[in-house]
Amino acid sequence: MTAKKHSVGEHLRDQGVSRRAFLKFCTASASLMALPPGLIPAMAAALEQARRPSVIWLSFQECTGCTESLTRSHAPTVEDLILEMISLDYHHTLQAAAGEAAEAAREQAMKDNFGNYLLIVDGSLPGPDANPGYSTIAGVSNYAMLMEAVEGAAAVIAVGTCAAFGGLPEAAPNPTGAVAVMDLIKDKPLVNVSGCPPVPMVISGVLAHYLAFGRLPELDEYHRPLAFFGQSIHDRCYRRPFYDKGLFAETFDDEGARAGWCLYRLGCKGPSTYNACATMRWNAGTSWPIEAGHPCLGCSEPRFWDAGSFYAPLSVPTDLSSTQVLTAGAAGALVGGTVATLARRTVETAAASRQPVTADELEQTL
Ligand code: SF4
């Protein structure tokens, strides 16, 4: 099972994907990444000609929620399309092969595509000083497998908060000595798509950007793609007018909650959390936690499990961990004036000047 040598465009046609669906995907992806409309035709042409990259997906200490996030969507979606654009040569959950055949497929894909494959990791892993037996695949420790696989990778995508920041396995007392992928990989291009689980469109968007432009998108201080993590949940929340007016739900079943008021006093971490939930939403764009009446838990920020205090307002001091999270993540929203804030404003300005481009218009352009 190695990478097919024909282009993305040829493969999509073979799979019966219409040109119109492809152009819609290009328009949606470019829009999500806040690319200028003028770049969309170039992006479509580049994607069509691109060779399908080999992807090796390693799952370590994780719950499979990240894979579920990417695959459990309503067809046809961009998430389905992106899976057609890659050659997924190794993935525990999705591959047909098992046992020795599966491991042989991984070894073969790494050999055939050395230097060119994408390595996707979900889950944290016991670090080099931990007992290697805490987490193994086919008798190989997670650490050894990661180090072997990263050698021939062109780039690494850490999917989900466990891979990006350690997540639940790394939370105190961290019995397995779990670390994040970026704690171990320093010499490869690396992007973190954090979230528990991550927003599927963000995974798709990063892959589309890599395929179209041959490089990872611009990143924030935590290696997250700025186009998706450049603004806080709070900045994009539809309940923000209630926050600005000081109208807060005090309990989950009071008049304020029923009227859709701001959830800040119920522990919402939206002001200190950077992610795209408010714009991408979940379940084919149906809803997202805050719309369902639940405060944001801040799952895409470092150390969110240890910060805890899920239902305590941000204004209530908790412990050092939460202070660290607030300082790093909330600087733009609450303090202002940081370099990160300036970078975010740049992205916001780019996004603000964006004009919508329809698939019909794009079809005429190409
Ligand atoms: S505190 Fe939470 S619910 Fe309130 S406006 Fe901000 S993100 Fe929305």
Side-chain angles (χ1 to χ4, degrees):
M1 188 168 61
T2 56
K4 309 288 188 299
K5 296 302 176 193
H6 56 299
S7 69
V8 166
E10 288 166 339
H11 179 77
L12 292 179
R13 280 191 286 281
D14 287 352
Q15 297 300 310
V17 176
S18 72
R19 180 158 179 76
R20 183 174 181 78
F22 172 67
L23 292 177
K24 271 188 177 174
F25 167 76
C26 293
T27 305
S29 297
S31 170
L32 293 175
M33 290 182 276
L35 296 177
L39 266 184
I40 299 176
M43 180 182 171
L47 268 181
E48 195 165 22
Q49 295 301 319
R51 298 284 155 186
R52 295 174 67 223
S54 171
V55 171
I56 294 174
W57 185 312
L58 300 179
S59 299
F60 295 141
Q61 297 186 131
E62 47 80 42
C63 68
T64 314
C66 300
T67 295
E68 292 281 344
S69 177
L70 186 62
T71 57
R72 297 284 171 182
S73 53
H74 295 178
T77 65
V78 292
E79 294 87 339
D80 300 310
L81 255 180
I82 201 69
L83 286 173
E84 295 292 346
M85 292 188 176
I86 61 176
S87 176
L88 192 55
D89 288 330
Y90 182 83
H91 188 302
H92 299 165
T93 312
L94 301 180
Q95 67 195 7
E100 290 176 358
E103 295 313 301
R106 179 175 60 82
E107 296 285 349
Q108 193 65 47
M110 290 195 303
K111 188 173 159 198
D112 291 348
N113 304 287
F114 192 86
N116 297 312
Y117 58 81
L118 276 175
L119 179 62
I120 299 182
V121 182
D122 65 327
S124 61
L125 64 156
D129 300 327
N131 182 333
Y134 282 145
S135 183
T136 64
I137 298 166
V140 179
S141 74
N142 291 169
Y143 176 74
M145 187 172 282
L146 176 67
M147 288 303 146
E148 184 193 14
V150 81
E151 204 179 330
V156 181
I157 304 175
V159 167
T161 294
C162 293
F165 303 132
L168 179 60
E170 186 256 1
N174 191 0
T176 64
V179 296
V181 174
M182 71 176 174
D183 292 332
L184 302 172
I185 308 301
K186 306 289 184 189
D187 59 349
K188 294 279 180 181
L190 182 146
V191 57
N192 283 327
V193 182
S194 59
C196 187
V199 178
M201 288 278 285
V202 178
I203 305 174
S204 305
V206 169
L207 286 169
H209 189 284
Y210 183 82
L211 283 179
F213 304 113
R215 57 182 165 76
L216 297 175
E218 192 181 355
L219 306 177
D220 72 4
E221 66 266 47
Y222 293 128
H223 287 257
R224 300 177 298 194
L226 260 177
F228 302 102
F229 291 86
Q231 283 181 289
S232 69
I233 296 287
H234 188 61
D235 285 341
R236 297 189 261 201
C237 180
Y238 77 102
R239 295 192 191 225
R240 179 64 180 268
F242 294 115
Y243 174 94
D244 291 339
K245 287 180 186 164
L247 296 173
F248 301 102
E250 304 289 345
T251 69
F252 282 101
D253 59 355
D254 66 7
E255 286 300 320
R258 279 191 278 277
W261 290 358
C262 172
L263 303 171
Y264 180 85
R265 290 186 183 162
L266 292 173
C268 186
K269 304 299 182 288
S272 62
T273 303
Y274 290 81
N275 205 342
C277 306
T279 44
M280 309 285 163
R281 307 162 102 210
W282 293 84
N283 296 328
T286 305
S287 188
W288 59 298
I290 285 177
E291 191 171 342
H294 194 280
C296 168
L297 294 181
C299 75
S300 58
E301 295 300 314
R303 306 202 64 209
F304 92 99
W305 285 103
D306 281 340
S309 68
F310 290 151
Y311 297 102
L314 274 170
S315 54
V316 176
T318 52
D319 58 19
L320 183 61
S321 304
S322 61
T323 306
Q324 287 168 342
V325 171
L326 192 63
T327 304
L334 301 181
V335 181
T338 64
V339 174
T341 307
L342 290 174
R344 286 182 179 115
R345 284 197 189 126
T346 306
V347 171
E348 285 163 23
T349 305
S353 64
R354 193 173 71 225
Q355 297 296 316
V357 177
T358 66
D360 282 336
E361 289 168 340
L362 181 57
E363 216 160 3
Q364 287 164 10
T365 314
L366 292 172

